[in-house]
């Protein structure tokens, strides 16, 4: 976190900064409220602050912003896919989904990703940089402001690997959970990881009530290492051991993500192997019909395969559902909009 990134500061830190500038405490409360609840993009919005203070803060503590660059609204289910532009010109994606219980926002944690999963569009041009806590929150504010809604659930399943940006992700959780900020229930937040095992233990040490999702995608090392390079570093046995400890100590159910890729990981044998791998664990399997991306030759499994795979897992006592696919008409899975935008912009520049 940069020292000048005011929107990533806790109220205590902001109060200290204010004191150092001889600004009274109640002003720090007002600024925090503008930044964290209302998502002010500039000090000019803070109309209850004196003009000279606004000018001083603009100079000393510029606010990191997150602006809508592009927006696609699904005609099928009104899912909204955003391409946001950050203060330094980088682009990230978020997806706003409407459920019966409210609005869920899928946010990014990095610009790009370095994990290299073969089926994923976000990782194709590597990781440009980590997102700041303010930029993770900024996605919530930007979506709320754009649609005039309140986001009640957040999934950290957009671009990037949140556990590869651990400190900023933890501070983001602290800020959004703050009752003087957005005051989201941490139980309504899911963090998805490709399996950075040591960071799963670090997360455990934080004793948070968040939902952990683990992208598994294969039932054995041979298969998993082919599609997810992280598996060569932290093989399945280590990952599953960490997951078992995690559920035991937190009593929270882990959700395993499993993208169903045609003729790669969707056989009956895979389903049986997966069932024995997860046997006895407090968990849930979420099957995702793989999204076909331009950068990869992988194809999605057939509906019959999905049904058969689900029924094998369920019959073995593994609670399994197929993820409802929202926004299928608008590139609504991570990385696709940004990579298309990058392609189109560079094509234009090339002309
Ligand atoms: N890095 C984190 C979170 C980002 S990806 C993680 O790996 O969990 C969010 C989820 O979408 C992961 O489960 C990821 O494996 C999955 N995913 C990525 N590309 C996909 C695709 N083309 N089809 C289906 N799922 C995909």
């Amino acid at each position: 976190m940069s020292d000048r990134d005011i929107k990533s500061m806790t109220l205590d830190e902001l109060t200290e900064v204010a004191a150092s500038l001889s600004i009274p405490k109640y002003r720090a409360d007002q600024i925090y409220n503008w930044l964290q609840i209302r998502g002010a993009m500039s000090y000019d919005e803070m109309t209850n602050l004196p003009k000279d203070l606004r000018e001083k803060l603009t100079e000393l503590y510029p606010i990191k912003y997150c602006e809508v660059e592009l927006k696609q609204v699904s005609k099928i289910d009104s899912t909204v896919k955003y391409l946001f532009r950050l203060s330094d010109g980088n682009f990230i994606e978020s997806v706003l989904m409407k459920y019966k219980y409210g609005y869920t926002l899928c946010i990014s944690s990095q610009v790009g990703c370095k994990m290299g999963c073969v089926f994923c569009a976000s990782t194709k041009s590597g990781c440009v940089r980590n997102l700041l806590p303010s930029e993770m929150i900024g996605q919530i504010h930007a979506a709320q402001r754009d649609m005039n809604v309140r986001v009640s659930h957040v999934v950290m399943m957009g671009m990037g690997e949140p556990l590869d940006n651990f400190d900023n992700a933890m501070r983001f959780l602290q800020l959004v959970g703050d009752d003087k900020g957005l005051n989201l229930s941490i139980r309504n937040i899911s963090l998805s990881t490709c399996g950075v095992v040591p960071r799963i233990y670090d997360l455990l040490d934080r004793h948070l009530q968040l939902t952990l999702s683990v992208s598994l995608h294969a039932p054995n090392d041979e298969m998993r290492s082919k599609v997810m390079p992280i598996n060569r570093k932290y093989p399945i046995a280590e990952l599953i051991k960490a997951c078992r400890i995690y559920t035991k100590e937190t009593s929270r159910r882990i959700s395993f993500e499993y993208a169903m890729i045609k003729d790669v990981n969707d056989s009956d044998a895979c389903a049986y192997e997966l069932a024995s791998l997860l046997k006895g664990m407090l968990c849930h399997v979420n099957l995702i019909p793989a999204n076909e991306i331009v950068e990869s030759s992988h194809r999605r499994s057939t509906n019959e395969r999905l049904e058969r795979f689900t029924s094998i897992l369920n019959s073995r006592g593994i609670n399994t559902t197929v993820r409802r696919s929202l926004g299928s008409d608008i590139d609504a899975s991570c990385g696709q909009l940004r990579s298309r935008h990058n392609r189109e912009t560079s094509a234009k520049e090339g002309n």
Side-chain angles (χ1 to χ4, degrees):
M1 189 195 106
S2 120
D3 292 346
R4 306 241 160 249
D5 179 16
I6 193 162
K7 203 170 155 177
S8 290
M9 292 178 192
T10 60
L11 180 56
D12 285 348
E13 288 165 347
L14 208 157
T15 306
E16 260 176 50
V17 164
S20 73
L21 298 169
S22 309
I23 300 167
K25 161 87 176 103
Y26 79 96
R27 291 284 185 215
D29 291 339
Q30 287 175 325
I31 299 166
Y32 189 78
N33 181 291
W34 276 108
L35 292 172
Q36 296 298 332
I37 300 184
R38 299 197 244 186
M41 305 263 275
S42 91
Y43 292 102
D44 290 336
E45 289 183 39
M46 305 184 188
T47 44
N48 54 355
L49 299 188
K51 194 154 184 279
D52 57 340
L53 176 57
R54 282 189 260 154
E55 278 165 7
K56 192 170 176 181
L57 290 170
T58 306
E59 200 182 303
L60 295 176
Y61 295 94
I63 302 173
K64 300 279 177 195
Y65 64 78
C66 182
E67 266 183 347
V68 181
E69 168 80 8
L70 258 179
K71 175 180 165 184
Q72 294 181 326
V73 183
S74 165
K75 292 192 181 68
I76 307 170
D77 51 38
S78 60
T79 295
V80 185
K81 174 100 191 200
Y82 289 104
L83 184 72
F84 290 129
R85 186 164 29 82
L86 303 175
S87 310
D88 67 351
N90 272 305
F91 295 107
I92 52 166
E93 294 181 26
S94 308
V95 185
L96 183 69
M97 294 157 286
K98 191 178 179 184
Y99 290 98
K100 275 190 225 97
Y101 50 76
Y103 283 91
T104 296
L105 188 70
C106 174
I107 66 162
S108 294
S109 56
Q110 296 177 316
V111 180
C113 183
K114 64 167 186 252
M115 295 298 149
C117 302
V118 296
F119 44 80
C120 180
S122 301
T123 195
K124 296 298 171 193
S125 33
C127 179
V128 178
R129 68 169 175 87
N130 284 330
L131 290 188
L132 298 162
S134 55
E135 293 168 325
M136 295 187 222
I137 298 174
Q139 298 168 61
I140 305 178
H141 289 137
Q144 291 196 150
R145 286 181 153 216
D146 181 62
M147 294 294 286
N148 200 17
V149 296
R150 189 179 127 72
V151 168
S152 59
H153 293 65
V154 173
V155 294
M156 301 174 82
M157 285 191 186
M159 285 167 44
E161 167 52 49
L163 295 189
D164 186 42
N165 183 13
F166 190 82
D167 293 343
N168 288 346
M170 293 306 111
R171 180 173 279 256
F172 160 75
L173 293 172
Q174 183 185 356
L175 289 169
V176 287
D178 182 7
D179 58 8
K180 291 205 173 70
L182 284 176
N183 196 17
L184 290 190
S185 163
I186 298 298
R187 287 179 171 268
N188 291 354
I189 300 183
S190 295
L191 183 150
S192 182
T193 179
C194 62
V196 190
V197 172
R199 298 287 89 76
I200 295 179
Y201 289 109
D202 291 342
L203 190 62
L204 189 54
D205 289 341
R206 302 282 171 136
H207 305 288
L208 299 172
Q209 285 298 303
L210 61 76
T211 300
L212 182 63
S213 289
V214 173
S215 301
L216 195 54
H217 304 320
N220 59 53
D221 284 328
E222 199 197 338
M223 223 175 253
R224 192 165 190 265
S225 292
K226 274 191 200 142
V227 287
M228 300 180 72
I230 187 83
N231 196 69
R232 293 176 212 147
K233 200 161 178 194
Y234 305 113
I236 288 197
E238 281 180 38
L239 174 60
I240 297 299
K241 182 177 167 206
C243 292
R244 286 190 187 274
I245 295 173
Y246 190 91
T247 55
K248 219 167 172 190
E249 292 197 10
T250 58
S251 305
R252 302 280 296 162
R253 188 173 78 157
I254 289 188
S255 176
F256 287 102
E257 310 294 309
Y258 195 104
M260 291 284 285
I261 310 171
K262 189 169 190 281
D263 300 333
V264 172
N265 62 358
D266 64 350
S267 67
D268 284 3
C270 286
Y272 288 119
E273 204 174 352
L274 183 60
S276 54
L277 184 68
L278 303 180
K279 199 168 168 219
M281 199 190 311
L282 181 63
C283 72
H284 170 96
V285 172
N286 199 211
L287 297 179
I288 318 166
N291 272 298
E292 299 178 359
I293 61 168
V294 185
E295 297 90 342
S296 155
S297 57
H298 288 120
R299 293 291 156 253
R300 94 173 41 200
S301 305
T302 60
N303 288 343
E304 297 74 55
R305 264 288 99 212
L306 274 151
E307 275 167 33
R308 171 87 184 141
F309 208 89
T310 309
S311 76
I312 293 176
L313 288 172
N314 280 328
S315 72
R316 299 263 151 158
I318 310 288
N319 189 306
T320 306
T321 49
V322 176
R323 179 182 292 175
R324 214 174 103 213
S325 158
L326 290 175
S328 51
D329 55 334
I330 54 162
D331 289 347
S333 76
C334 60
Q336 295 186 70
L337 190 57
R338 173 171 168 264
S339 50
R340 187 156 61 85
H341 187 69
N342 284 348
R343 274 197 303 275
E344 285 170 5
T345 330
S346 50
K348 254 183 232 152
E349 279 162 8
N351 280 338

